[in-house]
């Protein structure tokens, strides 16, 4: 019985480059009440994990796409309000006179054909009509229903015919998960049969040779170690499927290493002035704006200013051209909960922000990333990235460049160390100073070591002379 106007819940368009998404969790079940804009389900793409808000208030009457299924953008996922359509197939109506006559005629033809020669029976078989775009409303690919551009690209890269893959999506549609499982299983390769000529030759009688002397018995070969089928675990192990985000990270990182000539340079920075400035501003920022000015905000400010002097570090190789910019879209790497993924949301036009603006922007991006409130557009368009593993105590690393950028900055743990400084008389003395290692991983196709070294030196001078 309909209780409210029916409103469809559809897979949203999550950015121009995203064509499909995977349902990771329904936050409401059929029959439960949901309010407009209340989180209704969680979806995952190769770029972000995010919550989808309810498009209307009402009762969730239908869930059409279950958790774990991957569907194209625009697919109906469920329904709010309206009548709950039955899921059981309606019983077939008893055949009418014309239908009954046709059934009897078909049965008679079948019984008569059972005694006819095979050739005559083959002639009676007619191929079933194939659905067309006009009848299905969906384009066909290799005789099968619609496949997304992502699936088509993966199939093309691995030389797989999608029509040979068993689809588990709606209506037998081949999903990204299906095509990747097919590739990993190596199902497209077949064992080669021996040539027919060799088979015929082997059938000819051969001269009988003298039986060789029996060889001494060999020691039994050790039993081979058990090998788990693809995607399965052996006893004592556990296996979980790759999420779309983790699969996207894997593909992106591998592609970056295959594309760029990675080199990493490092520099040590005395952060004494930054520590002092942060202590002065911390109470004011927290009281007036509710923002904690982290060391990352200070480094981001100094980095953005330095990028203006070294445009190649903020540029990219695009075909046969070197592209530089007069703006900085600063990416900040954010780890998701329990190591479930890494995402790089972008602060656009960071060169226009002061220290407070950068501190607020970084905090906002981190919070929205961990609360699954980002969209794919929030993680696109970056020109330079900062990653901050130093919060966990690491003092050095070699990050992977975020393509198509040309460099990535790594910031590491702030550690108090003995440091040689000059006293007021110009003598060298040992003092305890807060020291941070900072690395720049860059694409050596565009950036030379000397250029990277000058960039790091200029960045250090800004941080060590902070007012």
């Amino acid at each position: 019985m309909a209780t409210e106007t029916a409103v469809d819940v559809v897979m949203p368009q999550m950015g121009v480059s995203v064509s499909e998404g995977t349902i990771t969790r329904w936050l409401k079940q059929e029959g439960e009440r949901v309010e407009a804009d209340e989180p209704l389900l969680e979806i995952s793409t190769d770029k972000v994990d995010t919550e989808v808000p309810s498009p209307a208030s009402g009762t969730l009457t239908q869930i059409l796409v279950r958790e774990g299924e991957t569907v194209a953008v625009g697919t109906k996922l469920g329904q709010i309000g309206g009548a709950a359509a039955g899921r059981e197939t309606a019983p077939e109506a008893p055949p009418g006179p014309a239908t009954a006559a046709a059934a009897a005629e078909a049965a008679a033809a079948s019984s008569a054909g059972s005694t006819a020669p095979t050739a005559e029976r083959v002639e009676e078989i007619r191929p079933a009509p194939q659905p067309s775009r006009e009848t299905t409303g969906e384009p066909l690919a290799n005789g099968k229903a619609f496949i997304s551009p992502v699936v088509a690209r993966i199939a093309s890269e691995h030389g797989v015919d999608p029509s040979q893959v068993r689809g588990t999506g709606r209506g037998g549609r081949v999903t990204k998960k299906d095509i990747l499982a097919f590739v990993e299983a190596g199902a497209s390769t077949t064992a080669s049969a021996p040539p027919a000529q060799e088979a015929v030759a082997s059938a000819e009688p051969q001269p009988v040779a003298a039986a060789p002397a029996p060889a001494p018995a060999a020691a039994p070969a050790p039993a081979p170690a058990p090998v788990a089928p693809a995607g399965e675990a052996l006893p004592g192990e556990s296996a979980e499927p790759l999420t779309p985000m983790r699969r996207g990270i894997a593909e992106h990182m591998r592609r970056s290493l295959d594309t760029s000539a990675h080199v990493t340079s490092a520099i040590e920075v005395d952060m004494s002035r930054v520590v002092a400035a942060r202590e002065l501003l911390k109470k004011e920022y927290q009281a007036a704006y509710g923002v904690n000015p982290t060391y990352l905000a200070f480094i981001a400010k100094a980095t953005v200013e330095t990028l203006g002097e070294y445009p190649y570090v903020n540029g990219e190789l695009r075909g046969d051209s070197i592209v530089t910019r007069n703006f900085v879209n600063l990416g900040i790497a954010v780890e998701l909960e329990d190591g479930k993924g890494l995402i790089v949301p972008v602060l656009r036009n960071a060169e226009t922000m002061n220290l407070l603006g950068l501190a607020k922007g970084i905090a906002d991006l981190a919070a929205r990333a961990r609360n699954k409130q980002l969209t794919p557009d929030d993680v696109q368009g970056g020109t330079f990235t900062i990653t901050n593993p130093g919060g966990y105590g690491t003092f050095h690393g070699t990050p992977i460049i975020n393509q198509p950028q040309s460099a990535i900055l790594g910031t590491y743990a702030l550690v108090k160390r003995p440091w040689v400084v000059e006293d007021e008389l110009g003598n060298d003395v040992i003092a305890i100073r807060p020291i941070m290692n900072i690395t720049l991983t860059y694409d050596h196709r565009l950036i030379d070591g000397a250029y990277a070294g000058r960039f790091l030196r200029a960045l250090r001078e800004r941080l060590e002379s902070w007012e």
Side-chain angles (χ1 to χ4, degrees), residues 12-15 18 41-53 245 330-336 341-348 361-380:
Q13 176 68 58
M14 299 295 294
V18 179
L41 71 155
E42 294 178 357
I43 64 173
S44 179
T45 73
D46 58 354
K47 297 185 181 298
V48 294
D49 289 347
T50 188
E51 294 178 344
V52 176
M245 175 180 286
L330 185 63
I332 303 293
V334 179
E335 182 202 24
L336 302 184
L342 180 71
I343 198 165
V344 186
V346 176
L347 275 176
R348 300 185 184 278
I362 291 171
D364 173 67
L365 289 179
R368 289 198 290 126
R370 293 175 179 136
N371 293 327
K372 300 182 178 180
Q373 295 175 341
L374 293 175
T375 70
D377 290 338
D378 291 324
V379 299
Q380 294 179 355

Side-chain angles (χ1 to χ4, degrees), residues 390-417:
Y392 304 100
T394 59
F395 68 91
H396 185 74
T398 55
I400 296 177
I401 298 168
N402 188 14
Q403 294 296 322
Q405 299 168 23
S406 63
I408 181 172
L409 193 79
T411 64
Y412 298 92
L414 191 68
V415 180
K416 289 183 179 180
R417 289 164 48 190

Side-chain angles (χ1 to χ4, degrees), residues 158-212:
H158 294 278
V160 174
D161 181 359
S163 67
Q164 303 301 316
V165 181
R166 179 178 176 272
T168 61
R170 296 182 64 198
R173 188 174 74 86
V174 177
T175 66
K176 181 179 179 182
K177 181 179 178 182
D178 298 330
I179 198 77
L180 289 170
F182 185 87
V183 171
E184 291 172 2
S188 60
T189 61
T190 57
S192 59
Q197 293 82 352
E198 294 182 6
V200 173
S202 64
E204 297 179 358
Q206 301 294 329
V208 179

Side-chain angles (χ1 to χ4, degrees), residues 21 39 50 123 142 191 212 222 237 265 274 292 296 302 339 366 381 384 400 404 412 415 441 450 453 461:
T50 188
E123 290 176 3
N142 297 316
E237 300 176 338
S265 297
V274 171
N292 177 25
L296 181 58
F384 184 82
I400 296 177
Y412 298 92
V415 180
T441 299
E461 290 173 354

Side-chain angles (χ1 to χ4, degrees), residues 7-90:
V7 177
D8 290 344
V9 180
V10 300
M11 176 63 71
Q13 176 68 58
M14 299 295 294
V16 294
S17 64
V18 179
S19 60
E20 62 182 14
T22 300
I23 309 301
T24 54
R25 185 159 66 111
W26 281 94
L27 304 176
K28 298 288 184 178
Q29 300 303 316
E30 287 186 356
E32 288 189 300
R33 175 81 182 178
V34 63
E35 300 299 326
D37 298 325
E38 179 183 2
L40 179 60
L41 71 155
E42 294 178 357
I43 64 173
S44 179
T45 73
D46 58 354
K47 297 185 181 298
V48 294
D49 289 347
T50 188
E51 294 178 344
V52 176
S54 173
S57 298
T59 301
L60 181 60
T61 53
Q62 282 185 298
I63 291 179
L64 300 176
V65 179
R66 298 297 177 183
E67 294 177 358
E69 292 188 38
T70 301
V71 295
V73 168
T75 301
K76 183 177 177 180
L77 307 177
Q79 179 179 299
I80 295 174
R87 300 193 179 279
E88 301 297 330
T89 303

Side-chain angles (χ1 to χ4, degrees), residues 426-449:
N427 300 318
D428 290 342
V429 296
I430 295 176
I432 304 300
R433 294 295 174 90
I435 304 299
M436 177 183 287
N437 286 353
I438 295 179
T439 65
L440 182 71
T441 299
Y442 50 94
D443 187 349
H444 210 333
R445 298 177 305 162
L446 174 59
I447 300 171
D448 297 325

